[in-house]
Amino acid sequence: MRKLFLILGILFTVLAIVFSVLPLDTIAFLPIGLALIFSLLLLKKSNNNQKKIPRALLLICALSSVFVLGKTLLVKDTVEKDTKFEQQKIESKKEDIKDLEGLE
């Protein structure tokens, strides 16, 4: 049972790291939560001399959750208005109207 928790804990910790780096916003909390659960179960099933890996996994999960939370709260998505594109669109519309008038 300990080996299963170890494999699942490592797998979900790696997924948590990958999801926290990618721009997936709060979806990254799903593998982080699963990694925390399996790491805690692994910590409970481990002997006193086998608790290094579960503690490291818990630390990595905590750091990635702080990273995702900080990225969610501190990074603001802003959309800038592209005035150059708007000007080109207006000019293109005027040219199209002139072309249509020239056809008649």
Side-chain angles (χ1 to χ4, degrees):
M1 199 67 165
R2 183 183 182 281
K3 287 183 182 182
L4 177 68
F5 290 149
L6 179 65
I7 292 169
L8 289 174
I10 290 172
L11 175 74
F12 283 115
T13 302
V14 169
L15 283 175
I17 292 170
V18 170
F19 277 30
S20 64
V21 173
L22 293 175
L24 295 174
D25 207 29
T26 57
I27 296 174
F29 284 120
L30 181 66
I32 291 171
L34 290 172
L36 281 171
I37 290 169
F38 287 120
S39 298
L40 287 172
L41 289 172
L42 179 63
L43 187 66
K44 192 172 187 174
K45 293 283 184 182
S46 298
N47 297 334
N48 287 336
N49 58 355
Q50 297 175 333
K51 293 191 177 190
K52 274 188 177 180
I53 294 175
R55 287 181 184 160
L57 293 176
L58 286 171
L59 179 67
I60 292 170
C61 290
L63 290 176
S64 59
S65 66
V66 168
F67 180 72
V68 170
L69 193 63
K71 193 168 69 169
T72 302
L73 295 177
L74 298 177
V75 176
K76 300 295 180 198
D77 294 333
T78 58
V79 178
E80 269 188 44
K81 187 165 183 159
D82 191 6
T83 56
K84 207 180 218 186
F85 176 72
E86 293 294 327
Q87 186 65 27
Q88 287 176 349
K89 194 165 81 171
I90 292 170
E91 289 173 5
S92 174
K93 192 174 184 180
K94 288 179 183 178
E95 288 176 10
D96 290 342
I97 290 172
K98 286 180 184 178
D99 289 341
L100 288 174
E101 289 175 351
L103 289 175
E104 294 176 354

